């Protein structure tokens, strides 16, 4: 947990090892233009680059794509395996003071799940391949869920 | 996997057991007015009931709430332990034909992760208690992540 993610001023780590309660299956992965070094910090930044990304589903899960079509907005959940999971207060580069992990979108969190709402540009259900407009995830990131985005249900009132 | 979730016409189950690749820790739980029998089908329905809910964080994770305040919009991720994980095509009650699991918000999915964008009404960081406007999750549902909602990054263009 040291090295790339050294503890900075204002940061705090959990004082004991995480306990685990459930298990996750990887349904596929994300092919993106990004490495850990140049990955955009959020989806808006990723969109501004104009660089697309591609989702690849494992054969067992491809039937689950039936009904998904070009033009749809999807919620992607992905697993950011590279991030430390024991940082509970953090000082990101855009801040001078520390703040709570749940007040940040940092990949370093107890469950390193990233979320992005993306647009389908093209889909081949049989091959399990979906071209999307953008994603702020590094190449090879495991995918754990795809959901239809539902603005009426997903947005907070006003 | 039978009983409450019998396979209906147009549905398809995975043909082998799920493989697991990563582990999840439960950071707390959701206190809600809902049982499995009367849980609203989505967040909009839950809001329409006017019934609030409360998040309870485990002591180890409470420092992660620093900076979260009343009025904030949060993304919640929670673990729907009650749902079967092997249904890859489904025929929900509002449809007559089956469709892919990733084209639905059903709790039955390979990783039973629910997502809701909610509003903080009141928060006590020290006690790890957050009162929120609404949630479509049954009482006792384990919580796995809390993120600040960022409309500029989270919404698809146009």
């Amino acid at each position: 947990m040291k090295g790339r993610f050294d503890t900075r001023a204002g940061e705090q780590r959990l004082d004991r090892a995480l306990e685990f309660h459930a298990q996750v299956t990887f349904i596929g992965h994300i092919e993106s233009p990004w490495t850990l070094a140049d990955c955009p910090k959020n989806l808006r930044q990723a969109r501004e680059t104009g660089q697309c990304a591609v989702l690849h589903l494992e054969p067992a899960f491809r039937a689950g794509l039936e009904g998904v079509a070009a033009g749809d907005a999807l919620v992607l959940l992905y697993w950011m395996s590279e991030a430390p999971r024991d940082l509970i207060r953090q000082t990101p580069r855009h801040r001078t003071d520390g703040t709570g992990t749940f007040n940040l979108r940092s990949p370093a969190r107890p469950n390193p799940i990233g979320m992005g709402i993306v647009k389908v540009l093209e889909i081949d259900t049989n091959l399990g391949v979906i071209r999307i407009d953008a994603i702020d995830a590094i190449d090879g990131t495991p995918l754990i869920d795809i959901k239809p985005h539902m603005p009426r249900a997903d947005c907070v009132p006003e």
Side-chain angles (χ1 to χ4, degrees), chain A:
Chain A
M1 297 293 191
K2 281 283 178 183
R4 200 167 61 228
F5 291 104
D6 283 343
T7 307
R8 293 195 278 256
E11 297 195 330
Q12 182 183 329
R13 290 184 184 268
L14 297 175
D15 57 8
R16 68 188 72 181
L18 282 183
E19 284 173 46
F20 295 116
H21 305 96
Q23 289 187 293
V24 157
T25 187
F26 295 164
I27 61 169
H29 70 276
I30 298 170
E31 177 192 342
S32 87
W34 313 120
T35 65
L36 194 57
D38 66 8
C39 190
K41 295 291 169 265
N42 62 52
L43 201 40
R44 184 176 51 82
Q45 283 184 14
R47 286 208 169 90
E48 286 167 0
T49 69
Q51 302 252 47
C52 305
V54 182
L55 312 178
H56 297 270
L57 256 73
E58 292 297 325
F61 300 107
R62 291 177 190 169
L65 293 177
E66 193 190 310
V68 178
D72 287 359
L74 301 178
V75 180
L76 303 184
L77 298 180
Y78 46 92
W79 191 263
M80 301 174 290
S81 330
E82 304 287 329
R85 299 177 63 168
D86 64 342
L87 214 46
I88 198 66
R89 292 181 79 255
Q90 301 178 49
T91 310
R93 295 182 196 286
H94 65 276
R95 296 179 65 117
T96 51
D97 58 329
T99 190
T101 289
F102 303 127
N103 192 34
L104 293 169
R105 293 289 283 255
S106 161
R109 48 206 318 116
N111 294 300
I113 300 174
M115 185 198 73
I117 296 171
V118 304
K119 202 157 177 182
V120 177
L121 302 180
E122 213 174 339
I123 178 167
D124 184 321
T125 304
N126 292 329
L127 293 179
V129 173
I130 311 178
R131 203 156 63 86
I132 58 170
D133 61 335
I135 194 73
D136 54 336
I138 65 177
D139 188 42
T141 298
L143 203 54
I144 62 173
D145 201 9
I146 300 175
K147 301 177 190 295
H149 174 51
M150 300 191 153
R152 280 200 316 163
D154 291 343
C155 295
V156 282
E158 105 249 28

